[in-house]
Amino acid sequence: MLSSFQQDRLPEALSVVEKLGESDKKEILYDMYKRTKISSLLKEAIRIAEKQGDWLFLARGYRELSKTENEVDNLRKAVEFYEKYIEFKNK
């Protein structure tokens, strides 16, 4: 397992992740972010979620990203994606 204490293993872990499907890759990148707090991992997971239209993941991802950068902008995006998720679920 990758942790904040084993960041030297990040390239190895990323090479394994690259071989996965987009959905699995998104979840694993998010998990790796939670363990390491490397924001580029979260941003890549968000990029994948945008391609997939995964509104709930995007809302949660931008909320998490707001903790480290552009707090107001990222919280606005999180709210926007929560609204899209609710709208999608109510159809």
Side-chain angles (χ1 to χ4, degrees), residues 32-68:
M32 290 170 63
Y33 161 76
K34 293 297 274 183
R35 294 170 186 274
T36 63
K37 298 301 182 195
I38 298 173
S39 64
S40 62
L41 298 171
L42 177 59
K43 289 176 184 178
E44 180 63 16
I46 287 172
R47 186 191 64 75
I48 293 169
E50 286 174 343
K51 288 193 323 189
Q52 295 175 337
D54 188 341
W55 309 131
L56 185 58
F57 186 93
L58 286 166
R60 291 175 176 164
Y62 277 110
R63 179 187 44 85
E64 186 68 32
L65 192 57
S66 75
K67 294 176 184 177
T68 58

Side-chain angles (χ1 to χ4, degrees), residues 4-58:
S4 59
F5 299 108
Q6 298 172 323
Q7 289 187 15
D8 59 318
R9 298 188 69 194
L10 184 60
E12 177 186 342
L14 288 175
S15 70
V16 172
V17 170
E18 282 301 316
K19 298 173 186 170
L20 301 173
E22 291 288 293
S23 187
D24 292 334
K25 188 186 297 188
K26 174 185 69 183
E27 296 299 328
I28 291 174
L29 285 169
Y30 184 72
D31 183 58
M32 290 170 63
Y33 161 76
K34 293 297 274 183
R35 294 170 186 274
T36 63
K37 298 301 182 195
I38 298 173
S39 64
S40 62
L41 298 171
L42 177 59
K43 289 176 184 178
E44 180 63 16
I46 287 172
R47 186 191 64 75
I48 293 169
E50 286 174 343
K51 288 193 323 189
Q52 295 175 337
D54 188 341
W55 309 131
L56 185 58
F57 186 93
L58 286 166

